[in-house]
Amino acid sequence: MRREEVVGLAKTSGASLSHRLTPALSIGRAEPVHPRTRLAEGRGRAVSVREDGILLLLVSVVGIALGVYAAVSLQVFPSGDADGLRRAYFATQVLFGFEPRLSNMGFTLPPLPTLLQLPVVLAIPQTAYSGVSGVVVSAIAAGVALVALNRALALYVPGRRWRYLFLATYQLNPLVLYLTISGFDLMIALAFMMTAWLALQRIFFEEPLPIVQVAVLGSALAAAFLCQFDLLIAGVFMLGTLVLLVYVQKRPNQWPFTEGVTVGALTPFGYVVIAWIFFNELIVRDPFYFLTASGAVALRSRRSNSTA
């Protein structure tokens, strides 16, 4: 074979090989996907509404069943310092008291857990007298918290096997299980804080920025404050984190955009806090009655006088 024929055959073979390898090599040279978009899409594929519904239903039904069994069959009210029973009593006073009105809840305890018991007590009044109304609310809140935790973990743990193992370890923790069936307001506050964290996570990792999640963040922090007054500090720090995360992302019109996101998240949270301070001043004549020890002292004195 002549030298020219060998060179031509080599060129033909090389061209054919390059043509076959081009699709495979082009995968490595594909346009880079924005990491925030890629992570958000992965989370969207990992968690579905059906999965959320199954987790919520499972935890709520099991928690209500265990709570009802403990309160009715065992005659055990697993609510420390009678917190759950006190809220159930306030709910009955709001609906069926001598003078039914919302102010019967008082201002010592955060109002939202009692408000959430009102539909349960209105539908089945017997649940309040056995302490079950608070159990229903805390069990549903535990389901909401687990759903939010599942969605937050899906960003880092795409596989369901390991994610469900972590969720089971969390939910079967004795403290979490106790809060689920006890009627405590801590589980309700945890559900709202987990919702706020999930909204903050989506704001940071998703493009374009989901404006709806900004409102969800502020509303969830406001609801958490109405469950636990101590979470006022946590809400302030989380809003500060939001402002910092939005500011470090270089965008056109950086300052107006940061200002808009800050106002959108701060409005529901600040409105609820200011309104609660105003109501304390209007009714109790002490704007910070809910934060000072005077409220707890007054409650104890009323309880001691009623038992004397």
Side-chain angles (χ1 to χ4, degrees):
M1 184 178 293
R2 291 183 301 177
R3 182 174 180 274
E4 292 79 3
E5 294 177 351
V6 173
V7 174
L9 182 61
K11 289 182 178 180
T12 304
S13 302
S16 177
L17 180 61
S18 175
H19 178 73
R20 290 195 301 266
L21 291 179
T22 298
L25 294 177
S26 64
I27 297 176
R29 296 196 300 268
E31 290 295 327
V33 181
H34 197 286
R36 297 174 65 197
T37 305
R38 181 174 64 248
L39 291 174
E41 290 176 353
R43 183 172 68 253
R45 290 192 301 267
V47 179
S48 63
V49 178
R50 179 174 177 270
E51 184 178 348
D52 292 341
I54 292 175
L55 288 176
L56 177 62
L57 187 63
L58 178 63
V59 175
S60 301
V61 170
V62 173
I64 292 174
L66 292 177
V68 170
Y69 177 74
V72 177
S73 298
L74 301 180
Q75 295 295 315
V76 175
F77 301 101
S79 48
D81 195 26
D83 183 76
L85 294 178
R86 192 184 312 149
R87 293 187 182 281
Y89 171 75
F90 289 158
T92 57
Q93 292 302 304
V94 170
L95 294 175
F96 310 114
F98 180 73
E99 294 182 359
R101 54 189 178 186
L102 283 176
S103 61
N104 288 339
M105 293 185 300
F107 292 91
T108 303
L109 295 177
L112 189 54
T114 304
L115 288 174
L116 293 177
Q117 289 190 34
L118 294 182
V120 181
V121 176
L122 184 61
I124 310 176
Q126 291 77 11
T127 57
Y129 301 104
S130 58
V132 175
S133 58
V135 172
V136 173
V137 175
S138 64
I140 296 176
V144 174
L146 194 70
V147 168
L149 180 61
N150 181 42
R151 284 189 169 268
L153 284 177
L155 176 64
Y156 310 103
V157 187
R160 290 184 178 179
R161 179 181 304 176
W162 293 105
R163 194 168 73 245
Y164 282 5
L165 178 61
F166 183 86
L167 293 176
T169 305
Y170 156 80
Q171 188 59 46
L172 295 178
N173 182 283
L175 178 59
V176 176
L177 190 60
Y178 170 75
L179 294 177
T180 301
I181 66 174
S182 65
F184 256 147
D185 53 6
L186 292 178
M187 180 53 71
I188 306 173
L190 179 61
F192 285 117
M193 289 302 296
M194 286 300 303
T195 304
W197 171 256
L198 180 61
L200 181 65
Q201 187 186 65
R202 294 187 62 181
I203 290 171
F204 180 69
F205 281 106
E206 291 188 3
E207 287 288 352
L209 187 144
I211 299 299
V212 175
Q213 297 302 320
V214 176
V216 172
L217 173 62
S219 302
L221 291 178
F225 165 75
L226 293 179
C227 292
Q228 280 288 320
F229 295 137
D230 301 339
L231 294 178
L232 174 65
I233 304 300
V236 171
F237 274 100
M238 189 168 288
L239 290 176
T241 303
L242 170 67
V243 174
L244 180 63
L245 291 178
V246 173
Y247 179 74
V248 297
Q249 301 170 7
K250 300 304 179 181
R251 301 173 182 270
N253 302 322
Q254 180 69 23
W255 278 109
F257 184 82
T258 304
E259 180 183 358
V261 172
T262 304
V263 172
L266 182 61
T267 297
F269 180 70
Y271 176 81
V272 168
V273 173
I274 294 174
W276 189 248
I277 292 175
F278 173 75
F279 290 149
N280 277 258
E281 170 63 25
L282 183 65
I283 299 177
V284 193
R285 301 302 179 184
D286 183 0
F288 301 104
Y289 183 82
F290 65 99
L291 288 178
T292 59
S294 59
V297 171
L299 179 63
R300 291 195 204 97
S301 64
R302 287 198 301 267
R303 289 175 60 187
S304 61
N305 292 334
S306 61
T307 56

